[in-house]
Amino acid sequence: MSTVSLKHVYASMLLAMLFQLLPWEGLALELLPDFMLLTVIYWLLRAPHLCHIGTAWFAGLLIDLATGGLFGQYALAYAMTAFLAVSYQRRLALFNIWQQTAYVFFLLLLTQTTAIVLKLFGGNDFPGWDYYLHSLSGILLWLAIIFSPIGVEAPPHKS
Amino acid sequence: MPRALEPQQTPAFFVRGPSPLARLVFFSALSLALIATDSRLHYLTEVRQGFIALLHPLQVVANAPFNLYRTSAEYLTAHNTLVETNRQLSEQALHDGAKLQRLNELEVENEHLRSLLGASQIIAQPARLGEVLHMGRDPFTQKMMVNLGSRQNIKPGQAVVDGDGVIGQVTRVYPFSSEVTLITDKELSIPIQIERNGLRAIAFGAGVDNVLDLPYLPVNVDIQIGDRLITSGIDGVYPVGLAVAEVTNIERNPDSPFAQITSKPVAGIKNHRQVLLISIPEIESALGTVINNTDGSTKAGKPAEKISPVTTSPAGSGSQNVNRQP
């Protein structure tokens, strides 16, 4: 039986939201990884029975609220990412760590691209290519988490 | 070897609910509907306010370590730094005090002259000191959050300034905080005047840090690099004469009928923790004085009446200049 429960999922999402709400400024704001998205992707790949597209959508809605943009922009981006994450989740569990990382990087880029397309339709300007630094820092954080003790803390595997 | 993702132990084939595709379609439709409602119909203002109020405790928790750091840093400031700032501030207070004495006299004189001309009085706009909670998190917009909200009678549209100049305008008000759009945001424009020659124009945010654009000015316009832009005050939001920006670059392209003029805001838009929120003047009362002046029935209108006794024609009642015509 899996030891990961719904409690863990929501507690980690709350923590991610807290990180998102910290008063970041200047360079930190430009390099900030999307904590919420990383948390959601982690749970989507690890425990798809607890975290599904709806959870991702709701997390995206929270991000919309925190950024002050139009309702539903990040929610849509998160939902599309969640769909791709969930549909390849079975195969991904068999991949090695670097293949998984590459896939997660692709997911991060996809979310940002979806968000930017929606924002451009909403009348915003293209903010420049350093916008994608968020994905880069995101994947570094992902690697840090995976290689740190928190990432290894997996349910006891009885096979 | 650390394992990233545990393969699922019990593949639950039958308890997964709707298929991912169905969920995707459902949630995409929902978010598209939300985007449309929010951008076109403005029904969601209250919803947003409610959610932000719910998020407020979390925001307070998130800000707590930084506030603690700041207060402890203040507490641990070295003695000589304090003495030095104290000396600087008292020196500045002396200079400002001397200027303020003249200001009082000038204000009285200005009031008197305006009453002689029959012009409407300048309305005093009280201000409140607010503190910046955090900068906007959206890389597409230039915004920040301030710790005053509708509980403190903040209203959308109020001007926000600091000691050096204009910062922006309140665009959204939540119960405990409000969102300030900076003048560098693409959506915000501000009526300005060149300090040197009084030329009026409108400055638009460029959407980038520290850049304001002055579009739609002809190539031969009298603007030089280094000119200071101040608020013209004709919008009724920003008080007259606040510094806005300084012209940094002028490009005169022969292909274009307009000059490309960029300027740099003088206010430390991203440096300060404290800002002033200036309340919007009461438009009704202002209009009232104008109408009374043109009728010549108030004491402000009397001197003008002496100059031109027959100005009762209703055609010119909109402007006060009628009174001054011989």
Side-chain angles (χ1 to χ4, degrees):
Chain A
M1 282 302 285
S2 169
T3 52
V4 182
S5 73
L6 214 54
K7 217 162 50 185
H8 292 89
V9 176
Y10 288 126
S12 62
M13 277 171 63
L14 190 74
L15 198 69
M17 193 65 203
L18 204 63
F19 269 105
Q20 208 88 47
L21 288 180
L22 288 179
W24 303 99
E25 277 178 24
L27 194 65
L29 197 64
E30 278 173 32
L31 293 177
L32 195 65
D34 194 339
F35 297 105
M36 191 59 123
L37 182 61
L38 283 170
T39 317
V40 168
I41 291 180
Y42 184 82
W43 290 121
L44 279 169
L45 296 183
R46 167 115 179 237
H49 56 295
L50 295 177
C51 178
H52 49 85
I53 297 177
T55 323
W57 183 81
F58 193 71
L61 207 61
L62 283 178
I63 297 300
D64 274 325
L65 209 60
T67 53
L70 286 180
F71 266 128
Q73 288 179 326
Y74 276 101
L76 181 56
Y78 274 40
M80 288 173 84
T81 307
F83 172 71
L84 280 187
V86 165
S87 33
Y88 288 103
Q89 185 266 336
R90 289 285 173 73
R91 252 168 284 178
L92 217 62
L94 304 172
F95 284 4
N96 73 25
I97 215 160
W98 295 106
Q99 286 165 322
Q100 283 172 357
T101 305
Y103 191 64
V104 170
F105 188 51
F106 162 72
L107 288 180
L108 293 179
L109 287 179
L110 179 86
T111 316
Q112 283 209 289
T113 311
T114 320
I116 205 173
V117 167
L118 289 171
K119 294 274 183 188
L120 289 182
F121 273 123
N124 295 100
D125 269 349
F126 182 66
W129 288 107
D130 49 358
Y131 168 69
Y132 282 103
L133 284 176
H134 297 285
S135 285
L136 212 59
S137 63
I139 202 64
L140 291 178
L141 183 67
W142 171 269
L143 279 177
I145 297 267
I146 291 297
F147 280 101
S148 73
I150 349 167
V152 190
E153 177 248 308
H157 196 252
K158 292 168 202 151
S159 52
Chain B
M1 181 66 187
R3 304 190 58 160
L5 309 157
E6 206 66 16
Q8 227 185 338
Q9 282 90 29
T10 48
F13 283 117
F14 304 110
V15 291
R16 284 208 158 184
S19 77
L21 189 64
R23 287 183 194 203
L24 175 71
V25 170
F26 173 71
F27 284 112
S28 301
L30 204 58
S31 27
L32 285 178
L34 270 179
I35 293 174
T37 319
D38 201 17
S39 63
R40 295 275 171 255
L41 302 172
H42 309 289
Y43 287 154
L44 297 174
T45 319
E46 283 83 16
V47 180
R48 187 185 292 274
Q49 282 179 350
F51 271 113
I52 291 276
L54 282 182
L55 271 186
H56 186 71
L58 211 58
Q59 182 68 63
V60 170
V61 173
N63 273 349
F66 288 80
N67 286 338
L68 189 69
Y69 166 74
R70 217 171 295 128
T71 41
S72 51
E74 265 171 27
Y75 184 73
L76 297 173
T77 319
H79 174 72
N80 54 355
T81 329
L82 278 179
V83 171
E84 178 62 20
T85 40
N86 197 350
R87 193 189 60 75
Q88 279 179 2
L89 285 178
S90 46
E91 196 174 303
Q92 199 184 347
L94 200 68
H95 282 291
D96 292 351
K99 273 186 196 163
L100 262 181
Q101 283 178 20
R102 282 198 56 224
L103 179 74
N104 280 338
E105 186 212 313
L106 282 176
E107 257 179 7
V108 173
E109 187 184 326
N110 189 14
E111 210 170 293
H112 183 63
L113 287 174
R114 277 181 166 268
S115 74
L116 278 180
L117 283 173
S120 61
Q121 299 297 322
I122 291 175
I123 307 139
Q125 289 169 281
R128 284 193 67 126
L129 188 70
E131 198 163 312
V132 178
L133 283 178
H134 59 82
M135 300 312 292
R137 304 189 181 91
D138 195 3
F140 297 91
T141 53
Q142 306 271 325
K143 285 177 180 170
M144 67 183 190
M145 297 292 281
V146 177
N147 70 342
L148 298 177
S150 54
R151 289 294 177 91
Q152 284 85 19
N153 274 329
I154 301 298
K155 294 193 175 57
Q158 281 186 241
V160 181
V161 303
D162 73 354
D164 301 321
V166 179
I167 290 181
Q169 206 176 359
V170 176
T171 41
R172 277 190 194 136
V173 178
Y174 306 121
F176 306 102
S177 56
S178 45
E179 182 193 88
V180 176
T181 303
L182 307 180
I183 48 172
T184 47
D185 190 90
K186 213 175 134 258
E187 306 247 303
L188 205 68
S189 49
I190 170 169
I192 52 104
Q193 204 171 9
I194 312 288
E195 198 178 42
R196 185 169 50 84
N197 55 10
L199 177 83
R200 279 197 296 272
I202 298 180
F204 291 81
V208 202
D209 275 4
N210 272 330
V211 179
L212 277 180
D213 280 336
L214 282 176
Y216 317 127
L217 287 173
V219 177
N220 61 351
V221 70
D222 178 20
I223 294 184
Q224 298 160 3
I225 289 178
D227 271 352
R228 274 163 62 87
L229 312 179
I230 57 174
T231 50
S232 63
I234 50 175
D235 47 15
V237 171
Y238 300 99
V240 193
L242 293 176
V244 178
E246 211 173 75
V247 177
T248 51
N249 188 28
I250 303 172
E251 265 180 49
R252 294 190 163 95
N253 191 347
D255 296 338
S256 158
F258 302 117
Q260 283 186 353
I261 301 165
T262 50
S263 54
K264 183 175 176 294
V266 288
I269 282 182
K270 297 200 167 168
N271 305 340
H272 292 287
R273 296 229 64 85
Q274 271 89 21
V275 292
L276 278 179
L277 282 79
I278 297 173
S279 50
I280 304 173
E282 300 288 324
I283 305 293
E284 289 83 9
S285 66
L287 274 179
T289 54
V290 170
I291 289 162
N292 284 345
N293 282 348
T294 47
D295 289 347
S297 57
T298 59
K299 69 176 185 344
K302 269 176 194 166
E305 217 172 24
K306 278 176 200 162
I307 304 165
S308 58
V310 203
T311 50
T312 46
S313 66
S317 63
S319 77
Q320 311 136 22
N321 290 346
V322 161
N323 279 349
R324 284 189 270 153
Q325 280 164 6

